[in-house]
Amino acid sequence: MVPKSSVRWESNHAEPRTGMVELNMVELNKDQLNAEQRAAVEHGEGPLLIVAGAGTGKTHVIVERVGYLLRTAPGLEPENILALTFARKAAEEMRRRAGEYFGERALGCRFSTFHAFCYDLLREEIPLRALDKIDQWIFFRRHLEELELDYYLKVSEPGRFLHDLVDFCSRCHDNLVSPVQYSQYVEKLAAEVAQLAKQGRPPGKDAEQEIARLREHARVYERSETLQKQEYLLSFGAMISMAVSRLNESPQLLRQLQQRYAYILVDEFQDTNAAQWELLKLLAGKRRNVTVVGDDYQAIYRFRGASDGSLEQFRKKDFPTCERKVLNQNYRSTKSILNVAHAVARKLDSYKEDKRLVTKKKDQGCTVEVWEFPDAGQQSEFVAQEIARQIQAGEAKAYSDFAVLYRAHRYRNRLVEALRRREVPFAIRNLAIDNLPPVRDMVACLRAIGRPEDSVSLARVLAGPRWEMEASLLWEGCRLARERQCSLREVVEDSGWGGQWPGKAKLLGFLSRYQKLSREQRLLSWFPLLRQELDLFGLKEEGDDTALGAFTDFVIQWDQEKSTAGLLGEFLEYFGYFEEAGGRISLPDEDDPAPTGAASLGESRQGTLWDQSAEAESLGKVQLMTVHGAKGLEFENVFVLHLLRRAFPTSNRRPLISLPDALWKGSLLEGDFHIEEERRLFYVALTRARSTLTLCTVSNKRQQPSRFLDELRNDQLRDEQLREDKDGGSEIDWKKLSAPTEPVLQALRQEDTIRQPPFSQIERWTGAMAAPPAGSLTLSASGLDTYRQCPRKYQYSYVCRLPVSPSPALLFGSIMHRAVRELVSRLAAGRDASNDASRNASKKAGGDAGREVQQPETVEAILDQHWSSAGFTDPHQESKYKEMGREQLAGLKKALEGQPFQLLHQEKGFQFSVKAKQGGGTKLLGRIDQINQLAGQDVELIEYKTGRAQTQKEADRSLQLTLYALACREVLGLKPLSLVLYNLTTQEGFRTTRGPDDFKELQGQIRQVSRDILAGKFPALPGYHCRYCDFRPICPAYEDSRQGDAVPG
DNA sequence: TACTGCGTAATTTTT
DNA sequence: TTACGCAGTA
C-alpha cells in the first residue's frame, strides 16, 4: 500500500494540507497545457464538445478558456462570458481560479450554477423564494386538503406519499412538462379508454382506476403549482422550467441575454437535464458559442432528473457541427489505478475507445488491493488501523491524504467508532446534526416550553442537572400523570407535589418565563438567551457549540425566510413536519460566509470536535464522504468501503410515480440503467485516487462481495489467460483477512466497554427504572407485543409510565370499537325483538326493524354519539377518519345482516395468572371484543381491526388471539372453536383456530418475557417502527454519538 | 416461464 | 411499513 515513489504534484503545497481538498489540476500552471488541452482552450467560434475523462484537467480547461477568450476575442468584456455548472462549490471554485490566474478582470465573468442563474433571472421580475425538497413536502402537507388526495392519501399518515408526489412534479419540470400538458396527456388516454368502451370492449376496472390515478397526478401538479405561485414560492425544478418559459415568452429578454452572453461554458455537462439543455440552447442563440465539458462515465445524477446521453445528444442532435475534443491525459492517478478504472469503464454502454485514459505519472504505482473481511466490523477496524499504521510508519504524511468513500452514509458509523478508538482525526462531509445530544436537548426544551402536553420532551429536560431532580421523583411524577390521565407538566405544576424537590421553583420559573416570551416575541429574539442559559446547565461538552451553532443557523433561516409571525408554536409545527419529511440539518462548511446573522448573535462556528494539539492539527483529518460527495475531488490514498451485494450497487428502487415515456424528453432509459449508473459511480470512486486505492468488501454467510468485484476478478483471470493486452488487464492484489490481526482483535474487545456515547442524562435515569417490583407483573396483549417489538419501548411505556397522547389512529380505533359494540348490540337486539331497534329510523321506511337498522341515519347517529374530537389535531384528518368510520360501520352492518349470530358477550374483560417456575406469577389482563355462541359451550371470538387490513397469516399467528382464546377457556369456561380477525377496512374476516400447543407456546413466551422484564432487560431494538414511536426524543437508539468535524471546503 | 412466500434492508442531492 | 431479490414450485 506504500507508494513506490511518492509523486507529488502539489509543489506549491510544501506543508501537508489540513483537511482542505483541492479540486483537481490546481497544480498545473496556466501555461502548462498539453496539446489537446491547448486545442480545446484555443477553439474559436461555434459549439465545442470537450470529452474530458477523470483527472484530465476538465475544470482547468474551462478556466483557461475563459482566460483565453478574454485575451483574444475582440471587444469581449468579462460580462459577456457565462460559465455554468451544477454545484455552488464548483461554481465558486471556477471563479476563484479565474481570479487567481487572470486577475480581477476575470471576476467580472458570470460563474454560476444553473439554479442560481435561473433564480436570479426570475427574481428580476418577481420576488420569489426557493423551496427545497423538504420545504416543498411541508408546503404540500399544509395544503393537503386543497390537493384533494384520494389514491395517495393514507389517513393515519397523511404525509406518506408526499415525497412521491413532490418527486413527480419535479420530474415534470425537468422535462418541461407543464400541468396543462400533463393533463392533456391524461385526458387523451381517458378518451381512448372511453372509445374502447364505446366499441363494446370495456377496458376493465384496472384501466379506470389507472385513469383516476393519473388524473390525481394531474390535479396535484396543477394545484400545487398554482398554490406555490400564489405564495411566490419556487421549487428547484421550477427554477429552470420557469426561466425557460420566461425566455420563450419574452423574445426581447431572450435577445438581450443572447447578446450579452457571447460565450457560454458548461462544466459537468453530463449532468444536465432536458430543461437545462433547453435553456442552454435558448441562450446560445444563433451564435452557438457553447463550450461544454463533461464525461459520460461520470454521469451519476440521473436519479435526480439528469437526462441520459447528454454528450451524445449535443453532438448528434442539436449541434451536429460541433467540434469534439477528447482529453485523455490523466494527471492524477497511477497506471495501476487507471488500469482498474479502465476495466470498469470498458463495461459501460457509453464506452469509447478513444477516451482511454493515459497516465502522465512515470511509474506504475503500487498495486490496487481488494480486501475481503469476515464481517463489517473488521473491515472498519482494518481501515482505521491501516491509516494509523501508515502515519506512524511515516508511509503517509498527513491524515488529510486519506479519504474513505462509501455508497451511503450509514456505512460510515462503524468506521467512525474505529477511528475514534485510535484517536485518528477525521472529518465528515455532509454530517447531519439533528440527532446529536445537544441539539436534541435544545429541541426538547423548545417543545417543553411550547407544548405543555409533551411529557416525553419535558422528561428529557427534567433530567438536566440544573433542576436537581432525582430520577425516582421523575418516575413518580410520570406514574401520577398516568393515573390522573394528565400530562407530566400538570403534575409538576401541582403545588401539592414534589415538595422535597429543591429545583422545582427554578424550573417552573424557567418554563413560565420562556412561555411568556414565546407567546409574545419572535423565537429569534429570545433563542440566544435560551441557548446561553442552557450552556449554564453544565451539559455542554466539546463540540456542542458546533452542532448548536448549526441549529441556530437553521432557526435563523426559518425566522427570516419561512416564518410569518416567527412565534414558537409555528416553529414547532414546522419542525415537526421537517422531521416527518426526513429533513436533515447539516453542518455548514467553515469557508462559507455565515448565511445569516450568526456572528451578530455572538455565535461561533469555529469550535472543532477534536481538541488537537498544533502538531496534530498539521496532519489534517481523514476525509469521510459518500462517493457522490467525492465527485470532483482527489486524494492521495483512497479506501472504498463496503463493496457488497445490495450495498454497492444498491438494488434498484423505481419511483412510485413515473413520468410516462411519451412525455420524457431526451433519450429513454434503456437496458439495465440502474446498474449502469451504479457502475459509473464505482468508476467515480476509483478515479479519485492518486497513489493508492484499496477496495474493501465483506464475505460471510449473509453478505457477499459486490458483483463489480466479481467482474474485476473475472477480467483479470481472462486477461491472464489471453495475455494479449498487457496493459488491458487490471492488476489487482486480492487479499483476504481470514483471521483478525491482533490490533483488530484488541479493538473489537474494546468495543463493548468503550462504546458509551454521551447520551442525554435521561438514559442514565432510565437505568434506575430497570426492575419493577417483583411478583406484581401485569401484562396485556399489547404489552406483550410491545416488549417483543422493542423492550425499551415497553420500559418507557409500561415501567416508567411516561404519559403520551394517543395517536389519531389509536383514537379512531377506540371510537370505532365503541361504535361497533353499539351497532352489534342493536343488530342483535333487532333480531331478537324486532321493534325498537332504532329510534332514529324514520317510520316511513316501514317494515321490520332489521331493515330500519340499515338506514344510514342510524350509522350516522351511532358514530356521532361516540365521536369525540378530543385529541385530533388536524381537522382534515379528523373528517377523513369520520368518513372512513361511516363507511366501515355501514359495511359492517351490511355484512352482519347476511350472517345471523348469537351474541354472548361484548367487551368481555378477563384476568388470569400464568405461574412462573419460581417466584410469583404474571397476571394477564385483557378484553375480548365480541363472543358469539355457536352451540352449547362452543363459541366464536371476534376481534375488530380498524387499521391496515390484517392477513390470514397474521390471524394465524396473532398473539392477541391466542391469549384471548386461552382466557376464554381458562376464565370463562367456554370452548373457542373459532377465532375471527375482522378487518373493518375491507369487511373481511379471517377465521383461525388455536390448540393446546399454541397455548403452551404462549405461556412459554409469557414466562420468558416476564423473566426478562423482572431481570430489567430493556435493550432498545431499533427498526422501522421507530418512525412511529413516541419515545424517540429520549431513546438512545435514535441518538448519534458525537461525530467528526465537518469538512471545510 | 411466471408466481408465491420469505427474509432483509430502507440511497445518492442542486439555492 | 413496504418492496425487492432470491429460492422454490406449478
Side-chain angles (χ1 to χ4, degrees), chain A residues 6-17 22 25-29 32 331 397 634 636 690:
Chain A
S6 206
V7 182
R8 289 199 164 259
W9 294 85
E10 59 276 59
S11 52
N12 50 343
H13 289 283
E15 317 146 341
R17 289 157 300 147
E22 303 285 326
M25 303 309 301
V26 193
E27 302 83 7
L28 268 185
N29 188 287
Q32 295 176 320
Y331 291 86
K397 284 189 183 152
E634 61 181 70
E636 206 60 34
R690 288 199 280 254

Side-chain angles (χ1 to χ4, degrees), chain A residues 9 25 28 34 37 55-57 329-333 360-361:
Chain A
W9 294 85
M25 303 309 301
L28 268 185
N34 65 40
Q37 287 175 329
T56 56
Q329 299 201 35
N330 178 291
Y331 291 86
R332 180 185 294 162
S333 311
K360 297 297 278 185
K361 292 198 177 181

